[in-house]
Amino acid sequence: MSFSEAGASALGIFGGTFDPIHYGHLRLAETAREALGLAGVRLTPAGQPPHRATPGASGAHRLAMARLAAADNPAFEVDPAEVESAQASFTILTLERLRATLGTERPLVLLLGVDAFLGLPTWRRWTELFDFAHVAVANRPGYSLDESRLPDDLARHVEQRRAAPEALAGAPAGHLTSFSMTPLAISATDIRSRAANGQSLRYLLPPPVLDYISRHQLYF
Ligand code: ATP
């Protein structure tokens, strides 16, 4: 039985284009697990992301790379549903689907880097996300969570929902918290551009993902 099915402790949900998945993503998920006391983290590669250009690698490749990256961590699981769905990927739909299988009581924590958090008001039915999950935000080099500069609607949620990480276990959804991770200025955009320029990608992402990229000639 996987950690998603077992027990009632909080479960992390971490979505992204993962084009490709890299150590910034993995470190965020691992730090969140530890800092927020999560049973595990479900890495959820997006299918066709609504907010951005078509990814450089197909959904099948991005899913395969996420699986390789997660394989050696028993606290990580990869959720293929968004890639396998014909629908556009919206996080709210993923959370609705999870609630349908996991029930309404289990704490779910949506994990976001600061850049993703700042873009939250552009997401489909974004205020409803808090009905389904807590939100936890990690720092990311190059982006600041300066609360005095947040758009009004996001600032209101920060004010009303702010909670300490320990509070997440006490409710299924609705809180907003932050946690700090070792800052890693790694981005998939930079990795794709290095690959296209024939530069080394070593030490930016796990070796099995590196091998996969070169075997399938991705991003060249
Ligand atoms: P791209 O450069 O293609 O936009 P990315 O590296 O930002 O990709 P995404 O798949 O878009 O990766 O990001 C998924 C999630 O991971 C987002 O919540 C994002 O904020 C977070 N994230 C990605 N890289 C880092 C990093 N280096 N540090 C902290 N958070 C990160």
Side-chain angles (χ1 to χ4, degrees), residues 14 17-18 22 25 52 113 115-116 140 184 186-189 192:
F14 184 36
T17 315
F18 300 149
H22 55 67
H25 299 129
R52 48 189 291 160
D115 56 313
R140 183 172 187 181
L184 292 171
I186 302 175
S187 76
T189 302
R192 293 192 302 273

